[in-house]
Amino acid sequence: MANGGAAMAETLALLAAVAALCCGMAAAALPRVEHPARNDGTLSLLVVGDWGRGGTHNQSRVAEQMGRVGEKLGIDFVISTGDNFYENGLEGVHDQEFEESFTDIYTAQSLQKPWYLVLGNHDYRGDALAQLSPVLRQIDSRFICMRSFIVNAEIVDFFFVDTTPFQKKYWTHPGKHHYDWRGVAPRGKYIANLLKDLDEAMEKSTTTWKIVVGHHTMRSVSDHGDTKELLKLLLPVLKENGVDFYINGHDHCLEHISSRDSPIQYFTSGGGSKAWRGVFQPNKDKLRFFYDGQGFMSLQLNQEQAQFTFYDVSGNSLYQWSSSKTGNSQPSNYLDDEE
């Protein structure tokens, strides 16, 4: 009861801070990147997470298949759901790990497009500011990483969210790990400002689709499971503003879960390298697909439809699901429709 009361008090305090900010001075707007859709109004991209291991643990094999699928789809960009460099992020802007785990791995011509990245918890264990530095873009111009930002592609707004600071345990029980909280602490103020900025940006968005990208799971049946802080603090903002999809990494698997109390769909693409955790823990939402292995995801969008496809390390299509703005969804025949 004591722990539950403390958690509730923390949640109420953060929500109160958000309310106070709403009545006070406006926080700085989220950085915005314009990435126009194609002339025909369509968009195609790949999503991969939890990858940076110098090519080991099948990272190179996943990268190879990403290149092939990327060429077939003619992708516009790549999204990384974080944990870009293991085990402890980068040591600085001149860390060779950047090239050994990114530039030298994702060499296919189709992947020479912008990469939009968020930080994961492993990235925060190193020099987090290094990944945000323009120095890395001088080394490899594809690498576009910020804490929280918006990518507008005409038909869709992607809201990239810095989810690591939400996790209280990283602050209170870091164990042997050190987290680089420069530019983040104090936690409560940082989260309150971020939630306010997100709410304002989402409310102003007029795109057909609204998609949120974060590192941590909102809903997951794998090793890390649901993230309670995101369910309490971030999810209400998503529901209030009609977000269509939440895309994350953190769990080293591929999965699709449907919310039972809102239209939101949860997609995990965290199979960029080390996987096969062997953990399965159902939650109260509806599991549509789960693959406990390496792989990645593609997303194809137009004004009427969004189509998601999961691929394994050999490039095989494992699962496909689409959603229409007319209100009709078209799941693949893999879907288990049992309640």
Side-chain angles (χ1 to χ4, degrees), residues 44-243:
S44 181
L45 59 124
L46 300 181
V47 182
V48 67
D50 305 83
W51 40 269
R53 297 181 186 272
T56 65
H57 296 278
N58 281 339
Q59 183 193 0
S60 292
R61 289 189 62 193
V62 172
E64 180 182 358
Q65 297 304 327
M66 287 175 62
R68 292 177 177 175
V69 173
E71 181 178 2
K72 180 179 179 181
L73 299 182
I75 61 168
D76 299 285
F77 57 85
V78 179
I79 285 175
S80 170
T81 57
D83 276 1
N84 306 318
F85 301 100
Y86 285 95
E87 289 286 330
N88 298 307
L90 295 179
E91 293 182 356
V93 295
H94 300 296
D95 190 337
Q96 289 301 307
E97 181 70 15
F98 177 70
E99 293 175 87
E100 292 170 359
S101 287
F102 179 62
T103 303
D104 298 343
I105 301 298
Y106 302 101
T107 57
Q109 186 60 40
S110 66
L111 303 181
Q112 306 308 303
K113 301 291 178 67
W115 282 57
Y116 300 113
L117 309 95
V118 290
L119 297 173
N121 51 298
H122 282 269
D123 300 311
Y124 264 100
R125 292 178 186 177
D127 182 347
L129 298 185
Q131 291 193 49
L132 310 178
S133 172
V135 173
L136 294 189
R137 292 204 64 193
Q138 295 173 10
I139 299 172
D140 193 322
S141 62
R142 296 177 293 172
F143 196 87
I144 303 171
C145 183
M146 290 177 263
R147 292 196 197 275
S148 298
F149 60 107
I150 302 168
V151 174
N152 170 260
E154 297 184 28
I155 60 173
V156 56
D157 272 335
F158 291 92
F159 300 90
F160 290 76
V161 181
D162 184 20
T163 60
T164 300
F166 283 81
Q167 288 259 34
K168 188 67 178 296
K169 67 181 181 181
Y170 299 146
W171 297 79
T172 59
H173 297 86
K176 64 180 181 180
H177 304 297
H178 167 78
Y179 290 88
D180 183 2
W181 297 128
R182 290 175 296 170
V184 176
R187 174 178 176 268
K189 182 178 180 180
Y190 180 81
I191 293 175
N193 275 302
L194 175 53
L195 292 174
K196 179 177 183 293
D197 290 344
L198 280 170
D199 186 50
E200 290 182 351
M202 289 177 180
E203 186 176 2
K204 293 177 182 177
S205 175
T206 59
T207 58
T208 301
W209 304 95
K210 296 180 185 179
I211 301 176
V212 174
V213 178
H215 175 64
H216 290 81
T217 57
M218 191 81 74
R219 292 290 196 193
S220 174
V221 300
S222 191
D223 186 37
H224 293 105
D226 299 347
T227 303
K228 62 181 183 179
E229 293 93 339
L230 296 185
L231 294 176
K232 290 179 180 179
L233 299 171
L234 181 58
L235 183 57
V237 177
L238 274 56
K239 288 182 175 180
E240 178 69 22
N241 289 285
V243 167

